[in-house]
Amino acid sequence: MSIFLNENTKVIVQGMTGSEGTKHTRRMLASGTKIVGGVTPGKGGQVVDIDGHQLPVFNTVAEAMSATGANASVVFVPPKFAKAAVIDAIDAAMPLVVVITEGIPVHDSASFYAYSLTKGTTRIVGPNCPGLISPGKSNIGIIPADITGAGPIGLVSKSGTLTYQMMYELRDIGFSTAVGIGGDPVIGTTHIDCLRAFQDDPDTKAIVMIGEIGGDAEERAAAFIAEYVTKPVVGYVAGFTAPEGKTMGHAGAIVSGSSGTAQGKKDALEAAGVKVGQTPSETARLLRAILGR
């Protein structure tokens, strides 16, 4: 099995007619994702040819869902238009919305995430994330599809680059689903959401969790693991050498005083029984040992 998406997931691309949307639509199609159309306000009624796939364009997500039966959307829309695009998807009750866009103002992200909670019908992954992939089934976002194959490992990561590296490190074992949740201060799907889903997925046998400095998401995840997760979990926390008060790559990756440090997160995870590597490669070796590989 997998979490959040599978081989039957029908995907629309918001912003498909833009350069980034077109490029990544081509990539997703090549990896077997069922792309059924796109949404660009004002361009409804057009049909776009991408590598022989004739994809209809709609003005709204609701129109796209009605015509295609889509049950997932991926957002490749510039930051200033992203809030409207996500709200359009929420209003249409799209079950899964993957927001790839980087640089969305925090106020906008907080607004559409809060709005999604009032509706209760839409799971948001991101923003500022690489998306998610169930190898051989579906790939929504920008994760390279040829790093690894299907297998028993579940992966949840704040970092896109570290998502790719960990998938490569464990490519011979494979993954049920890898989820890049994004590194912004406000995100829709958390470590805990993914940990719960992996715990409940019978085909996921072990979990890799990648965090980074800033905030307390990893500490809260550690408490959840101690209470709920019975499957083996290994972890990695990026940012041990980050200077205090300096944002490191992600908008949410900043250490303030004594909170949000990599060491504090490592300590919390280890107290919950999670084996934490000092490097991604060491983390992969820890998981191999657990699986006897």
Side-chain angles (χ1 to χ4, degrees), residues 49-278:
D49 183 304
I50 299 181
D51 293 343
H53 298 269
Q54 303 298 311
L55 300 174
V57 181
F58 302 91
N59 288 316
T60 69
V61 174
E63 292 173 3
M65 291 177 69
S66 176
T68 67
N71 55 3
S73 170
V74 58
V75 178
F76 289 100
V77 173
K80 67 179 179 178
F81 304 119
K83 177 182 175 182
V86 177
I87 286 177
D88 179 27
I90 295 168
D91 282 339
M94 178 62 80
L96 175 65
V97 179
V98 183
V99 188
I100 305 299
T101 307
E102 182 177 4
I104 299 174
V106 176
H107 181 272
D108 285 0
S109 298
S111 177
F112 65 64
Y113 175 59
Y115 186 60
S116 75
L117 296 181
T118 68
K119 295 293 186 178
T121 54
T122 298
R123 170 178 296 282
I124 296 172
V125 175
N128 186 17
C129 78
L132 63 165
I133 181 172
S134 290
K137 296 180 179 179
S138 189
N139 180 15
I140 303 179
I142 64 175
I143 297 174
D146 57 354
I147 301 176
T148 187
I153 304 170
L155 171 62
V156 53
S157 171
K158 277 186 178 178
S159 165
T161 304
L162 292 176
T163 299
Y164 315 152
Q165 180 173 353
M166 192 59 63
M167 290 172 66
Y168 182 78
E169 295 271 2
L170 296 166
R171 62 194 180 279
D172 57 315
I173 301 176
F175 292 80
S176 56
T177 304
V179 186
I181 58 176
D184 277 3
V186 178
I187 55 174
T189 295
T190 65
H191 284 114
I192 291 174
D193 295 326
C194 295
L195 289 166
R196 179 182 288 109
F198 284 133
Q199 172 65 27
D200 295 344
D201 174 30
D203 290 337
T204 298
K205 306 304 181 186
I207 303 166
V208 181
M209 175 183 144
I210 300 176
E212 66 187 15
I213 58 170
D216 67 346
E218 292 79 4
E219 289 87 345
R220 287 184 282 111
F224 178 80
I225 291 167
E227 178 182 356
Y228 187 80
V229 179
T230 60
K231 296 177 181 180
V233 183
V234 300
Y236 174 68
V237 181
F240 273 93
T241 60
E244 182 179 329
K246 182 176 177 59
T247 301
M248 303 297 289
H250 286 155
I254 184 170
V255 174
S256 301
S258 60
S259 65
T261 65
Q263 187 62 50
K265 295 173 184 297
K266 180 177 185 289
D267 292 345
L269 287 165
E270 289 182 336
V274 177
K275 294 182 181 296
V276 180
Q278 290 288 344

